[in-house]
């Protein structure tokens, strides 16, 4: 007999309309759909065409009506500011509808954009929900991005209003957000008409009269706004993510399909019931924060957690265990890098012994490849299923996972288990033919993508087609390479483009190269991702200096490191760079980044047949040794 997973998977691919039409009964609709799946404008499929709904109503009002008003909706815990508070669904409804009222009074209406630049405080989630309440479109920008990156997003999204806070707190550092926001608004051509600022006691913001409003005052005086019905296919949010160039891609998500997918996933992927506490230890600025700090748990009538702290150092490597036992958290979702950080500080998990962890049922990991060591450490110490699952900003939820609500498969460390129902995952070779089991190729998803995946890229339909749909006709290109083994387990090995993953944060090496190239002393440059024991990958730069530069190499390196921090932000974690005479290239002039990365990581590599001058690789190796890479390779060769 086939298990529940297999039945669901087969049905979802055989008859997607029947499968998702059934799942859609979990959502409240003002008007149901004319058609579950509209395929009249391929590759832009649309779900639940003709239906009307409101995401905020489903995440908040509905639970109050159903008697969950007194239940905790959000638990906020901030070891960095020594505060914690719980917000019930009743209180959430009040705060969200007041903020929506304040924004409506500023002219925000259906289809308008609202940008959020927020630290991990409940106001971030409240801001997202209030925007959705008005049928407007939010765009959350991660706090670790610099003003110029924020400006690029302001220019592209053209938000009427920006929601922000006076400061964020990173460990022991208080980072004033307002000066960064002011600088970004100055830099951008488009100007929002207003900002609404949450004032925090750690650093008050100077408000510009007429433009900046105090959050608390604006909400206190506001008339609560009602939910505005929107089409299921109307955009709920734009989330910018790294592409292969410096111009970020604005991934657009809809209202209806998104809710159907997330509700389905809460039950069948995460096995979380209404009333239970689910904690995604990420940041609202990333897709994990959108799907599983804000929307998934709240749509499900569960309790979500907004944690303003780190896995280690706030105050120690027991921070996650303290949270789980204190708030009776049923499942934790985080990036493997957080567990590597904990394991490094407390290898024998001594701190775990201080806490009652009996409430914890599962650990979910995503954002980067989970190394078997980390998985094994988590399994042996936590003694709960550890689910590695694979997804992307574009997909909005998991492509491959161990769906605990359907069937728990044995774990194979290194694999995010099986494709999730809805995702027709295939591995194709260079000739676009299916690879046999166990052979590595391009991971693609046969169209249509299930509900919840990207609608398009904001104002860039053609870029969307070029990026995802043109290389493998009839498929979505994940830009990940991997394989499916003979048991149907998926493996995700690496990106096929220039995206790297630093501490679970997705970054573009192309974007960093654009910054290095803008330095007046740099003639040519390359950035690669090198393996790092804690963060998974780190960026490493190579620069060739222009003739006649009189500064020392170290001076230029210090300047370009500073420039990347200024232009992209601290999140880029760009700290290592080396000066080289020339870069290895093919005869047609393409920089051999893949070969450089293999040399840096001490991996075997084949001399590229098209290399112009093989001697340059020796020079690269030498300079890599100077910054602590490639050494072991030489030693093992001796
Ligand atoms: N606002 C401003 N700055 C931020 C920031 C934010 N929201 N988030 C990170 N930064 C800064 C950090 O302070 C750091 O600055 P520094 O160079 O001055 O030290 C820099 O950006 C790099 O951050 P990060 O790569 O996260 O390194 P870290 O040393 O601060 O923390 C970990 C390392 C592993 C503890 C942390 O990345 C982590 O907990 N990651 C797992 C969870 C997660 O966020 N996953 C995301 C997707 S699921
Ligand atoms: P992001 O869009 O920031 O979520 O990053 C998506 C990318 O992170 C994917 O394309 C993968 O390269 C990587 N990724 C995410 N989850 C996993 C996982 N479980 N295993 C391997 N790689 C992953």
């Amino acid at each position: 007999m086939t298990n529940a997973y297999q039945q669901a998977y087969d049905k979802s691919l055989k008859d997607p309309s029947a499968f998702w039409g059934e799942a859609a009964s979990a959502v409240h609709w003002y008007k149901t759909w004319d058609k579950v799946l509209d395929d009249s404008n391929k590759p832009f499929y649309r779900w639940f065409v003709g239906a009307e709904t409101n995401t905020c109503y489903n995440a908040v009002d509905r639970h109050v009506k159903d008697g969950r008003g007194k239940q905790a909706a959000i638990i906020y815990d901030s070891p960095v500011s020594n505060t914690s508070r719980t917000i019930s669904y009743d209180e959430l409804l009040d705060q969200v509808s007041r903020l929506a009222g304040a924004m409506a009074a500023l002219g925000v209406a259906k289809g308008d954009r609202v940008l959020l630049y927020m630290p991990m405080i409940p106001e971030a989630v409240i801001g997202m929900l209030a925007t959705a309440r008005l049928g407007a479109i939010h765009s959350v920008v991660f706090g670790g991005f610099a003003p110029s990156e924020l400006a690029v997003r302001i220019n592209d999204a053209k938000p009427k209003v920006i929601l922000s806070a006076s400061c964020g707190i990173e460990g022991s550092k208080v980072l004033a957000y307002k000066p960064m926001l002011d600088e970004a608004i100055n830099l951008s051509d488009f100007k929002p008409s207003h900002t609404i600022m949450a004032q925090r006691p750690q650093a008050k913001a100077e408000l510009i009269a007429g433009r900046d409003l105090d959050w608390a005052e604006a909400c206190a005086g506001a008339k609560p706004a009602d939910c505005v019905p929107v089409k299921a296919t109307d955009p709920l949010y734009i989330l910018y993510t790294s592409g292969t160039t410096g111009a970020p891609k604005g991934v657009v998500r809809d209202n209806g399909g998104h809710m159907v997918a997330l509700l389905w996933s809460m039950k069948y992927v995460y096995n979380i019931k209404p009333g239970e506490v689910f904690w995604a230890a990420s940041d609202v600025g990333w897709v994990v924060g959108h799907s599983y700090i804000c929307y998934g748990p709240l749509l499900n009538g569960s309790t979500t957690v907004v944690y303003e702290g780190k896995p280690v150092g706030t105050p120690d490597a027991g921070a996650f265990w303290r949270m789980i036992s204190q708030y009776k958290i049923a499942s934790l979702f985080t990036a493997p890098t957080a567990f590597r950080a904990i394991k490094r500080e407390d290898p024998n998990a001594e701190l775990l012994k201080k806490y009652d962890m009996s409430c914890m049922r599962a650990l979910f990991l995503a954002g980067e490849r989970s190394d078997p060591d980390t998985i094994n450490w988590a399994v042996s110490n936590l003694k709960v299923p550890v689910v590695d699952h694979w997804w992307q900003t574009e997909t909005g939820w998991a492509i491959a996972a161990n769906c605990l609500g359907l069937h728990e498969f044995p774990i194979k460390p290194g694999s995010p288990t099986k494709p999730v129902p809805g995702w027709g995952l295939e591995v194709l070779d260079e000739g676009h033919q299916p690879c046999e089991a166990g052979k590595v190729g391009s991971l693609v998803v046969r169209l249509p993508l299930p509900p919840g995946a990207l609608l398009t890229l904001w104002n860039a339909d053609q870029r969307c087609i070029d990026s995802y749909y043109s290389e493998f006709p009839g498929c979505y290109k994940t830009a990940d390479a991997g394989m499916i083994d003979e048991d149907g387990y998926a493996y995700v090995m690496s990106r096929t483009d220039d995206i790297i993953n630093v501490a679970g944060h997705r970054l573009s090496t192309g974007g960093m190269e654009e910054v290095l190239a803008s330095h007046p002393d740099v003639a040519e440059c390359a950035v690669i991702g090198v393996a790092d024991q804690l963060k998974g990958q780190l960026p490493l730069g190579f620069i060739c200096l222009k003739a006649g530069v009189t500064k020392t190499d170290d001076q230029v390196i210090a300047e370009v490191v500073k420039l990347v921090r200024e232009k992209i932000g601290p999140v880029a974690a760009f700290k290592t760079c080396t000066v080289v005479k020339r870069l290895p290239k093919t005869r047609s002039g393409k920089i051999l980044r893949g070969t450089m990365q293999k040399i840096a990581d001490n991996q075997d590599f084949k001399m590229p047949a098209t290399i112009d001058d093989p001697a340059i690789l020796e020079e690269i190796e030498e300079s890599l040794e100077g910054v602590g890479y490639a050494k072991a390779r030489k030693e093992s060769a001796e």
Side-chain angles (χ1 to χ4, degrees), residues 142-144 170 173 175 177 281-283 286 288 310-311 334-335 337-338 503-505 535 565 570-571 575:
F142 178 61
E170 275 290 295
K173 289 177 287 185
L175 305 171
Y177 272 34
S282 177
D283 187 287
W286 305 116
V288 178
K310 299 266 174 187
T334 190
T337 187
H505 307 146
K535 296 193 180 185
R565 197 178 171 94
V571 67
K575 300 204 167 146

Side-chain angles (χ1 to χ4, degrees), residues 266-267 270-274 276-278 300 302 330-331 361:
M266 288 306 293
K267 185 166 175 184
Y270 300 102
N271 195 21
I272 292 291
K273 293 181 191 57
E276 291 186 325
V277 188
F278 184 79
N300 201 41
S302 305
S331 284
R361 293 207 305 268

Side-chain angles (χ1 to χ4, degrees), residues 538-594:
L538 276 179
L540 189 152
F542 298 84
I543 48 174
C544 305
L545 301 186
K546 285 183 183 158
V549 170
T550 50
K551 290 177 202 153
T552 65
D553 289 359
D554 284 349
Q555 269 174 322
V556 183
I557 287 171
E559 285 174 20
V560 297
V561 164
K562 189 162 163 267
L563 197 62
V564 174
R565 197 178 171 94
E566 274 165 20
K567 295 279 179 202
I568 298 179
V571 67
F574 182 83
K575 300 204 167 146
T576 312
C577 186
T578 175
V579 174
V580 289
K581 281 203 284 278
R582 20 188 214 164
L583 292 168
K585 291 186 188 163
T586 61
R587 281 189 285 276
S588 61
K590 205 166 169 269
I591 298 173
L592 291 162
R593 294 181 183 79

Side-chain angles (χ1 to χ4, degrees), residues 122-135:
E123 283 77 1
V125 174
I126 292 166
M128 292 162 81
L129 292 166
T131 307
R133 192 171 189 84
L134 297 175

Side-chain angles (χ1 to χ4, degrees), residues 350-362:
E350 292 298 334
L351 291 164
L352 191 57
K353 296 179 190 141
K354 280 171 58 182
Y355 301 98
D356 174 6
M357 301 280 290
S358 55
C359 55
M360 187 182 188
R361 293 207 305 268

